[in-house]
Structures are given as C-alpha cells and as structure tokens.
Amino acid sequence: MAHPVQTKAQPRKYPFINMRIADHTVLDTIEGRHICSDCNRSRKFFCYSCHKPVGELDKMLPHVELPLHIDIIKHKKEIDGKSTAVHAAVLAPDKVRIFTFPDIPDYGEEDGVVLIFPSATSLTVPQLFERNVHLKIDDNYGLPKGHHMGTMLRRRMDEIVDDDSSSSVSFKCYTYDNLPIRRAVFIDSTWNQSRSIYADARLRRLRTVVLQNRLSQFWRHQRGSPRWYLATIEAIHQFLLEVHVNAWGLNGAYRGLEQLEITEGFHQLASPLTTLEVDEKCVERESPYNGHYDNLLFFFANMYDLIHKYYDHNDLISYRRPI
C-alpha cells in the first residue's frame, strides 16, 4: 500500500498565475441554485448531467475554441458532480462529448483518433508530429519482468529529445484541418477502473498517447497516485497544449506555464518552435500558444481558490504525494 510522503512545507506558488483564464470570481457572485432547462434538476453553476450552464451563467462564461474533437468516456461509478470532465463539455460544447461506459462509439471507421492512456506501445504527442523524441524505456523503468509502461503509474515517464532535434525541425504549415489527430479520447475514472475500460476491444485498437509529466493541482486525493496523475480537465488542457506547441509553437512572451512544473522535455521541444519564422498565412488563425485553451481551467481554478480559502495548501494530503 502506498502512503503519502511527508515533505517539508514549502511556500505555495499560485499555479495559474500568468495563465490567460477569464475572471472566474464572477462565479462567487452567483447566489442560490437554478433549474436545468433540460432535466429540471436544481444545479449551482452547470448541470453535470446535461453538460450545460444554468441560469444566467451562459452569458458570463468564456467559450473555448478547440482544434480537434474530444471524447470523454466516464466509468459508470464516477460521481458526475465530482468529475472535472464536464468542465470541458460546458466550456467547449461544440467539440466535447461525454459517454458513460460501456455505451461508447466504435471508432473503427474514423481516422485520426487517439486514446490518451499509458500503454506498452504509447506514443508521445511530438512523435505524432514526427519529431525526434523517444521515451526512456531502455530498462523498462526498472519494472519486474511481465510489467510494462501501462503499470508504471508511480514512475515518471521521461521524454528524451534527440540531440539533433532542434536543428532538424521541418516546419509544416498546420491548420485545424490537417492535424495528425482529429479526435482524442480520454477515460474519466480511477486508475484501476481505467484499465478495465481500456480492455474493451473498441478502445484497444486505437493508438495510445502518453502526456508529458506535469504536477496536478487537483485537491481531491486518490490513494496511491502520484502528483502527476492529472484530473481529467488538466489532462485535456495538457494534451491540447502539447498539440498546439508541436503544430504552431509557443509564444515567447507567454508565461502561463512557469508554475505548472512540466518536465524538461516539453520546454526543450517548444524551444526551437518558439522563435521559428513561419509563413504569415499559417498564423492568421493558428498562432504560437498564448493561452489558447487556458479557459478550460475556468471552473477548476475557481474551485482551487475556494478550497485554499478554507484549507492550508500544505495540510491537504493531495499536495503531499510523492513526485
């Protein structure tokens, strides 16, 4: 059984500083509950069953434009009101769908679909863009025989940037229409539940993708999980961030990632694209990352602030997990 590691308290750095998140304090001004127009249930901000805002909130919310489609497959035992997955459906309703397993689509006839899940054959996002990186799995992360990457959640996954990667970047003018990924599928469940969902043949045939490590800011502790086990909305944000940086680069003036503690490989990969000169036709709509998807964390950041209003950061067991 894994136990949280007691660490010396460090001054807390606000993780969302410099991110381009709309002023979510508007949520603090909303009083009472409202009736969902679809299901007639009483809700506070949004209906987590119908995935839509309630009351007048719809007029106050930011709308996030995504470059691809997102499907979220929820375990039937996941409590809707506690899941962060619905945040994506509320803030980007035209591109996000939520399904409850086993009632899920069959992606067999659709091109460009990937599953975000660590498996023995997982690719990284840069590899989808044919960039020169690889996962450090030479020693199988020191795991015993019979174990593989899909079981190593407690170990950080190191992405290695090849020595010649910065000098051999071949820039392609990507648009929303020619990305190598058209749809990304996420599993919204505990780690053990996700492995049972992954066993479904409809998902096993999909290419799997593993994300760069970044420390989670989620306040709800999941026993035995390390700090880089992201909440679903954090994982969606991280994936879209990686896709965007690999397609269109990172704005050199953007400082929103400085407190997220993303592994070094991400910054190494972003570096050659940060100052890359691209055709002006490419950047009319798709420009270097400057917080394009940060508003996906609108509700998440608000709840983070609320939790920390009542609890000291270092007293919350979720932030004392091993890293």
Side-chain angles (χ1 to χ4, degrees):
M1 179 182 297
H3 296 279
V5 174
Q6 298 288 340
T7 59
K8 183 178 180 180
Q10 299 292 331
R12 178 171 67 93
K13 299 176 182 179
Y14 186 63
F16 310 114
I17 192 169
N18 298 326
M19 295 187 78
R20 297 185 61 188
I21 301 176
D23 182 8
H24 52 75
T25 59
V26 65
L27 298 175
D28 302 330
T29 68
I30 297 176
E31 298 181 356
R33 300 170 69 85
H34 301 272
I35 300 299
C36 173
S37 59
D38 285 3
C39 68
N40 294 318
R41 293 185 176 95
S42 174
R43 305 298 193 209
K44 178 65 174 177
F45 299 134
F46 52 80
C47 180
Y48 44 76
S49 302
C50 304
H51 314 145
K52 60 184 297 184
V54 296
E56 298 297 314
L57 186 59
D58 189 29
K59 301 174 184 178
M60 308 176 187
L61 289 181
H63 179 272
V64 186
E65 182 180 7
L66 305 185
L68 47 83
H69 294 275
I70 300 290
D71 281 3
I72 301 165
I73 298 175
K74 183 175 70 71
H75 192 277
K76 61 183 179 182
K77 290 186 178 181
E78 278 293 296
I79 300 174
D80 291 340
K82 293 184 177 181
S83 172
T84 65
V86 68
H87 298 181
V90 172
L91 295 165
D94 52 335
K95 288 292 183 69
V96 179
R97 306 185 299 181
I98 299 179
F99 302 93
T100 300
F101 187 80
D103 297 325
I104 65 174
D106 189 335
Y107 299 102
E109 300 300 322
E110 188 175 351
D111 294 328
V113 183
V114 297
L115 175 67
I116 311 304
F117 188 84
S119 74
T121 57
S122 285
L123 300 173
T124 65
V125 172
Q127 286 174 326
L128 294 175
F129 283 85
E130 300 181 350
R131 298 187 67 186
N132 296 326
V133 301
H134 65 275
L135 285 173
K136 183 183 178 182
I137 56 175
D138 299 337
D139 62 351
N140 198 32
Y141 287 83
L143 295 172
K145 184 177 181 181
H147 290 69
H148 58 75
M149 201 167 82
T151 66
M152 67 174 191
L153 185 63
R154 294 178 180 83
R155 303 287 294 271
R156 294 198 84 149
M157 285 173 284
D158 301 317
E159 194 166 52
I160 306 301
V161 181
D162 288 351
D163 293 338
D164 64 345
S165 61
S166 60
S167 61
S168 62
V169 172
S170 178
F171 186 79
K172 176 180 179 180
C173 186
Y174 285 104
T175 68
Y176 280 18
D177 297 323
N178 69 356
L179 289 172
I181 316 102
R182 307 294 298 162
R183 186 183 304 278
V185 182
F186 291 79
I187 297 176
D188 182 39
S189 69
T190 65
W191 174 242
N192 288 331
Q193 291 168 346
S194 70
R195 286 185 288 185
S196 65
I197 292 176
Y198 176 61
D200 189 285
R202 292 168 292 181
L203 298 178
R204 287 297 291 249
R205 67 169 65 105
L206 296 177
R207 288 185 299 172
T208 55
V209 172
V210 65
L211 302 177
Q212 288 267 0
N213 287 132
R214 119 184 184 190
L215 294 193
S216 174
Q217 305 304 326
F218 199 30
W219 50 89
R220 187 169 293 123
H221 173 59
Q222 185 178 128
R223 181 181 297 176
S225 66
R227 277 292 304 278
W228 59 86
Y229 190 86
L230 301 177
T232 302
I233 193 63
E234 291 178 295
I236 293 172
H237 177 269
Q238 176 65 25
F239 172 74
L240 291 169
L241 167 64
E242 292 187 40
V243 168
H244 198 105
V245 166
N246 279 276
W248 302 296
L250 178 66
N251 189 312
Y254 177 68
R255 293 290 179 264
L257 307 180
E258 293 179 347
Q259 304 302 329
L260 294 186
E261 299 184 68
I262 304 176
T263 44
E264 183 179 352
F266 172 86
H267 299 285
Q268 289 178 306
L269 287 163
S271 179
L273 288 179
T274 300
T275 57
L276 193 63
E277 294 184 4
V278 298
D279 192 312
E280 291 183 359
K281 295 179 181 178
C282 291
V283 297
E284 290 177 0
R285 180 179 179 182
E286 296 87 3
S287 57
Y289 191 79
N290 193 24
H292 290 60
Y293 318 118
D294 288 359
N295 270 328
L296 287 174
L297 300 174
F298 180 80
F299 291 113
F300 188 86
N302 180 261
M303 183 58 70
Y304 178 95
D305 287 353
L306 181 63
I307 292 293
H308 285 79
K309 180 179 179 181
Y310 295 102
Y311 300 95
D312 183 87
H313 180 87
N314 294 302
D315 288 341
L316 293 168
I317 194 171
S318 187
Y319 301 111
R320 291 187 279 117
R321 291 176 291 171
I323 58 175

